[in-house]
Amino acid sequence: MKIKKYLESSPVFTLTRAYEKIIVDLQLRLKREGVNLTQAWIVVALFFENKPASPSRLAKTLETSPSNISHSLKKLIQAGWAHRLLDNSDGRAFFIELTPSGKKRAVQLIRIFDGLQAVFENQVGERGLMVWNKRAKMIEEVYKWKYSSTSDIF
């Protein structure tokens, strides 16, 4: 098709294609574990933190909206993977902590993420993966600057 050359040079198309090949399959794999990608990142983040964290800190760390974190936490709490702890200094605030079940599930999720990273490292090498991550961050920064909410493109 005539559009093929344009698509091959389009960063948006390349990112979309990569997303569909990687993230869609990863979401299907995580679904078998009973979580989506955001929920998995929350569980892993809490596991590595090894102490309760506030929803706002999770949102900032995972670079997602507070409402996305709230929705994901609701599901994790319902599943028994996490629970709320009230903040003693502010009765309105709370923290999230993994339950023993959540910690066990975190180990399995880490294995999944480590396995995916191993695939990347085997294909492009550790250095290649670092370069890829750097370029992806660069694209993200260009997007933030060029297509901010003040831009007339969106």
Side-chain angles (χ1 to χ4, degrees), residues 27-39:
Q27 287 279 32
L28 289 171
R29 175 62 184 92
L30 293 172
K31 188 175 183 178
R32 293 197 315 255
E33 298 298 321
V35 294
N36 65 30
L37 186 54
T38 301
Q39 294 161 354

Side-chain angles (χ1 to χ4, degrees), residues 60-71:
K60 186 175 180 177
T61 299
L62 299 176
E63 298 182 26
T64 191
S65 69
S67 63
N68 195 13
I69 293 292
S70 178
H71 178 74

Side-chain angles (χ1 to χ4, degrees), residues 1-8:
M1 294 184 74
K2 292 179 181 179
I3 196 170
K4 188 169 176 74
K5 186 173 183 175
Y6 174 80
L7 294 177
E8 288 173 353

Side-chain angles (χ1 to χ4, degrees), residues 8-149:
E8 288 173 353
S9 67
S10 168
V12 174
F13 183 72
T14 301
L15 291 171
T16 302
R17 193 176 58 224
Y19 176 88
E20 289 178 354
K21 289 181 179 177
I22 299 166
I23 303 303
V24 172
D25 284 347
L26 179 58
Q27 287 279 32
L28 289 171
R29 175 62 184 92
L30 293 172
K31 188 175 183 178
R32 293 197 315 255
E33 298 298 321
V35 294
N36 65 30
L37 186 54
T38 301
Q39 294 161 354
W41 283 128
I42 290 170
V43 170
V44 171
L46 289 169
F47 183 83
F48 282 121
E49 194 66 20
N50 199 28
K51 64 180 183 178
S54 69
S56 60
R57 185 163 177 222
L58 288 166
K60 186 175 180 177
T61 299
L62 299 176
E63 298 182 26
T64 191
S65 69
S67 63
N68 195 13
I69 293 292
S70 178
H71 178 74
S72 295
L73 289 175
K74 182 179 176 183
K75 299 284 186 185
L76 292 171
I77 290 167
Q78 287 173 346
W81 292 27
H83 62 95
R84 293 178 188 216
L85 298 170
L86 289 178
D87 182 350
N88 292 331
S89 64
D90 180 356
R92 298 168 297 166
F94 64 92
F95 297 97
I96 300 296
E97 181 178 55
L98 288 179
T99 62
S101 174
K103 290 177 183 178
K104 288 178 185 175
R105 301 304 294 244
V107 171
Q108 180 58 27
L109 294 172
I110 291 166
R111 283 187 191 119
I112 292 168
F113 288 130
D114 283 350
L116 184 56
Q117 180 153 346
V119 168
F120 283 115
E121 287 176 355
N122 287 337
Q123 291 297 312
V124 299
E126 190 174 331
R127 174 131 172 73
L129 185 57
M130 287 177 17
V131 168
W132 186 88
N133 283 334
K134 212 178 240 188
R135 286 184 180 152
K137 288 175 186 172
M138 182 180 71
I139 291 168
E140 184 180 352
E141 289 303 314
V142 167
Y143 175 83
K144 284 180 187 176
W145 173 77
K146 183 78 172 164
Y147 301 109
S148 67
S149 60

